[in-house]
Each structure stands twice: as C-alpha cells, then as structure tokens.
Amino acid sequence: MKPVRPILDMNAYDGKTSFAQTKEGDDLLSRRTRNFGAASVLFYRDPIEMVSGSGCWMTAADGTSYLDFYNNVPSVGHCHPRVLVAMSEQAAKLNINSRYLHQTTEEYLDRLKATFPNYLENIVLTCSGSEANDLALRIAQRATGARGFIVTESAYHGNTAAVTDISPSALKRGQLPDHVIAIPAPSKLTYGDDIAAGFADEVNKAALVLQDRGYGVAALIADSIFSSDGVFSNPRGFLRLAVAIVHRADGLFIADEVQPGFARTGDAFWGFARHDVEPDIVSMGKPMGNGFPMAGIAVRPELLSAFCDDVGYFNTFAASPVASATGLAVLNVIRDENLQANAALCGKSLREGLLHLADIDGRISDVRGAGLFIGVDLSPDGDPTNPSGQLVSDIINAMRENRVLIGAAGKYGQTLKIRPPLCLKSSEVDFFIEALAKSLRACR
Ligand SMILES: Cc1ncc(COP(=O)(O)O)c(C=O)c1O
C-alpha cells in the first residue's frame, strides 16, 4: 500500500535542504520558519525567493526567470496592466464595505451573473474560496435540514473548520468526521469504462450510509475538474447521473469552481458546463481577482433567502468597490483577449505535446484534462496501477532546474498538475514540452 499524500505535502520543502542567502546576507528561510512556525508550507526541496512577475513568467531574487505552469490565481497573467490600473484607480478614489450602494459593484455582479444559468440569480461575495464553500455548506444544511456531505477522497475545499471537515486531502492523520463520506475520484482506474455509472453508484451508497447514520444528505460537493484528486474531466457529462442521485436523496449539488472556473477549461466559462448539470450552488475564487482576494457563491435565491431568515451574512472586505473594479477588469480581459479560446487552443497543443512525449517515454501512463487544466500520471514502469509520487516529485524538481514551475496532485501525489495562466503563448507551450522532455531524461 502506497502512502497517501496530503495536498500540502506535495512538492513541499521538507525542512532539511540548505537555502541560498538573500542579498542582505540574511537567511530568509530561517526567518520564514521562525515567523510561520509549524504552519510554514513552501514549494520545492530548495525553496525559491520570488521578486516579480509578468504574463506567464516569474523572476526570482537571483535573476532566474521561471515559466509559471502552476498558478491559476494570476489567471489572466501576472501583474496584468489593465487589472492593476482598475484596482489602483478605484483604491485611490474610494474603498468601503458593501453596505453602501456602488455602481461598479452592481455592474460587476450583473456581468458575473451573465456567465451563469439564469436560475442562479443571487451572488454572495466573499474573500476566499474557503469562505465561499463554508457559506455553501451552511446554506445546503439549512435548505435540506440534513447535515451530511459527500466528497471525493482527495478533495480539498478550503481551510475553515467546516470546510476542513469535508477536505480529505487536508488530513495528515485521523479520519473524516461521521457526517462526511469520501468516495473514490471519477477515474477510469477505479470505475473502468463507465465512470458515470460507477461514480453515481458510489454517491448512492454514500447517501444511504449518511441516511443510515441519521445525518441525511445535505450535498454532494465536487470540484468540477477534480483537481486535487488528479484532474478528471472526461468523459463529458459523467457527473449528470451522480447529481440526479443526490437530488433524489433530497440533497443539493455544490459545484466548486475555485479551480476550473473563469474560462480555464476552454470549452466553457465554468467547469460544470462540461457535464451539463444544474448545480444548486456554485462556489468560485482563486482567478476571480487575478491575485486580489475575491471569491463567492452563485445560488438559487430561494436557498439564500431561507438561510438569511435564520442568520445574517456580512463580509467586511468582500464586494468592496476595489474588489468589484478588479473583478470587472478580470472579466474584461478574459473577453477582450479571447482567453477562453486561447485556453482551448493552447490546451490542445499542450496535450498533443504531452501525448507525443508519452509515445516516447512509457513512464507517462495517462494524460487527461480540458483546456489549460491538465493531469499527467507517472509511474516508473508505465503501469497505471503502480503510481509514483516519488517520480513526480523528482520531475517537478528537475522542471524547476529547467525553469518551469508545475505541481502535483492525486491520492499518492502521482499526477503532474499543469495549470498555466490563460494568456499562455504557443512558444511557451514549446518551452514547457522541451523542459519536460529534458527533465524526464534527467530522471532516468
Ligand atoms: C477546489 C478548491 N476549493 C476551495 C479552495 C479554497 O480556496 P481558498 O484557498 O481561497 O480559501 C481551494 C484552494 O486551493 C480549492 O482548490
């Protein structure tokens, strides 16, 4: 049995490697460790000090530039000038909480709502994906009168107490609470050719267990591209049956779009559209403000009003004029720079390049994904049932030597998680493929 890897342990600094001195001769890493204590989580065996970013590139303190293939926060590009201007001009004028009327906020929410199906009439803004999911869970429990949740086994949905409870991938020891059932991710390895039926069957079994335990089913919550589970996008529509089953059990379906949302999958603005399902609540975050902390939910109005009958909801920093101006600029850039189409186009050539590498290197056992969200499984002998977190970790560190930043995912950390900004250029796709070919050769 291979050890299961919690998400924050993937490609993480292990506290052992020495670190280059900063310009001032001060050891930044030991200051970091002193300040953050046990909660310090850093990427790479030898952590990197970053100083600037532009487009898909980041520059480190030693002058090395890195192609960023693992960052869906600055999704329209690092330090995008239009986003910066919108953000700073509004900050120079006024920034207040949302308990005053403001033109830009309503303009933003109207534009954001237009990206959703009409029945999701209300938007509540928050500052983080965790807050958004926390609110979604509370609304689901209020609407259904049930307390139980169904999640996938390596899911990550955030860091509040309630949301950590439904994030198996955050667990380092112990087990999920009784009101949460984790089911295997929708992979071909687990379910064979009929992923839709196999996954729906697991949802059904989990619903029965929750009912048996007296919790009932408040919701199935799923990241629409199952990113921390290892990126599972195909076949299109496989979620439909599972959603029907959860609705039949009187639960809701919450689509967590924190990862795939905002045009990343190329074929649609939201990941759930790929499955032609109607989520009751959609949570969103990360790319929403291109680095400005923005998140939120889109929700059926009747669910929100039932919740608000019991408690008030107010979030000081969310829906501020600066957040609204920033979010609006992000939507404008996605539209004006055709980033959804670019995600589809560059994603296709990226997958083609990866499939070509898989033809010449048998250790690549699977290439999956949609648009600019791609998962690549590695195993030392090419056997998909023998996944290797170690090989993935070696490749990620070799890629860093070749000036490309990528991440890991999957239950055992066996999947390369590839997720560049949406403004990717074809020359950067080529740079990435060349770096991966070199890294694979170096890790023989
Ligand atoms: C699918 C998913 N949902 C929710 C979250 C939580 O978002 P945040 O870190 O903004 O609280 C994350 C963060 O990685 C995520 O990947």
Side-chain angles (χ1 to χ4, degrees):
M1 220 13 214
K2 288 193 182 279
V4 171
R5 286 201 187 196
I7 194 162
L8 293 178
D9 284 359
M10 289 181 200
N11 185 29
Y13 169 62
D14 61 6
K16 291 184 193 132
T17 328
S18 67
F19 187 60
Q21 302 282 304
T22 59
K23 286 193 293 291
E24 298 81 26
D26 193 1
D27 185 338
L28 197 57
L29 181 57
S30 55
R31 281 167 61 199
R32 156 79 177 218
T33 310
R34 275 199 307 279
N35 288 330
F36 278 59
S40 175
V41 183
L42 286 164
F43 282 139
Y44 294 102
R45 290 175 185 158
D46 194 3
I48 315 175
E49 181 191 353
M50 292 294 184
V51 291
S52 63
S54 175
C56 293
W57 292 83
M58 282 200 275
T59 304
D62 67 1
T64 309
S65 54
Y66 292 94
L67 182 58
D68 184 3
F69 255 62
Y70 187 58
N71 210 333
N72 68 343
V73 175
S75 194
V76 301
H78 286 275
C79 308
H80 193 291
R82 274 181 78 183
V83 178
L84 289 182
V85 167
M87 185 192 296
S88 52
E89 280 186 355
Q90 185 56 53
K93 211 184 284 170
L94 177 73
N95 199 26
I96 44 172
N97 71 47
S98 61
R99 283 197 272 182
Y100 296 93
L101 292 172
H102 199 277
Q103 291 283 351
T104 311
T105 303
E106 300 324 311
E107 187 184 345
Y108 175 54
L109 293 182
D110 286 344
R111 283 280 303 283
L112 185 60
K113 257 171 47 172
T115 66
F116 286 107
N118 288 339
Y119 69 89
L120 293 171
E121 280 177 38
N122 292 156
I123 307 265
V124 183
L125 293 186
T126 63
C127 303
S128 71
S130 302
E131 284 182 336
N133 279 331
D134 191 280
L135 179 60
L137 301 188
R138 293 168 71 196
I139 291 173
Q141 289 183 328
R142 171 62 176 81
T144 59
R147 305 206 59 75
F149 293 103
I150 304 168
V151 297
T152 47
E153 66 185 356
S154 297
Y156 179 77
H157 294 292
N159 61 16
T160 71
V163 166
T164 300
D165 276 351
I166 59 149
S167 296
S169 187
L171 274 185
K172 290 188 177 175
R173 60 168 74 142
Q175 54 194 35
L176 293 175
D178 246 21
H179 70 285
V180 181
I181 306 270
I183 62 174
S187 76
K188 201 170 172 177
L189 265 185
T190 304
Y191 299 111
D193 283 338
D194 200 347
I195 293 176
F199 190 69
D201 190 44
E202 286 292 332
V203 169
N204 192 37
K205 282 195 272 185
L208 292 175
V209 173
L210 288 172
Q211 279 152 355
D212 205 43
R213 290 182 187 170
Y215 295 111
V217 183
L220 161 69
I221 174 165
D223 166 351
S224 312
I225 197 140
F226 299 88
S227 55
S228 56
D229 279 294
V231 186
F232 296 102
S233 48
N234 288 328
R236 279 167 185 279
F238 74 71
L239 267 179
R240 217 174 310 140
L241 205 50
V243 171
I245 286 195
V246 87
H247 280 155
R248 214 184 306 147
D250 296 327
L252 304 187
F253 172 54
I254 302 170
D256 183 336
E257 290 284 338
V258 167
Q259 294 276 359
F262 291 91
R264 177 160 291 278
T265 57
D267 48 5
F269 200 83
W270 300 108
F272 66 80
R274 190 172 182 79
H275 294 291
D276 194 20
V277 288
E278 293 198 342
D280 302 285
I281 307 175
V282 176
S283 57
M284 57 199 139
K286 288 188 194 283
M288 199 167 175
N290 210 50
F292 193 86
M294 293 182 69
I297 59 165
V299 55
R300 294 179 187 275
E302 65 277 15
L303 302 181
L304 184 62
S305 65
F307 173 75
C308 290
D309 282 346
D310 290 351
V311 283
Y313 188 84
F314 170 63
N315 194 318
T316 300
F317 298 115
S320 68
V322 172
S324 306
T326 306
L328 190 56
V330 170
L331 292 182
N332 288 338
V333 172
I334 293 173
R335 179 194 61 200
D336 297 345
E337 296 184 10
N338 294 317
L339 293 185
Q340 187 175 314
N342 191 56
L345 204 68
C346 284
K348 184 167 175 284
S349 58
L350 204 49
R351 278 192 306 283
E352 283 166 2
L354 286 162
L355 287 169
H356 175 67
L357 285 185
D359 281 344
I360 51 183
D361 192 320
R363 291 172 298 169
I364 298 180
S365 57
D366 199 18
V367 176
R368 304 178 288 271
L372 287 175
F373 217 134
I374 298 177
V376 176
D377 283 351
L378 297 182
S379 79
D381 53 7
D383 176 359
T385 62
N386 180 29
S388 175
Q390 185 57 48
L391 181 54
V392 161
S393 175
D394 291 345
I395 293 289
I396 288 173
N397 281 278
M399 286 294 274
R400 173 251 173 94
E401 296 303 317
N402 289 311
R403 301 201 295 123
V404 180
L405 310 173
I406 51 172
K411 188 171 177 181
Y412 310 104
Q414 76 277 21
T415 308
L416 296 175
K417 186 151 76 166
I418 296 166
R419 200 182 48 184
L422 306 185
C423 57
L424 194 67
K425 300 188 183 105
S426 64
S427 58
E428 292 161 342
V429 173
D430 296 344
F431 189 98
F432 168 84
I433 294 291
E434 213 167 291
L436 184 54
K438 255 197 253 176
S439 304
L440 284 161
R441 282 196 297 272
C443 296
R444 278 262 163 230

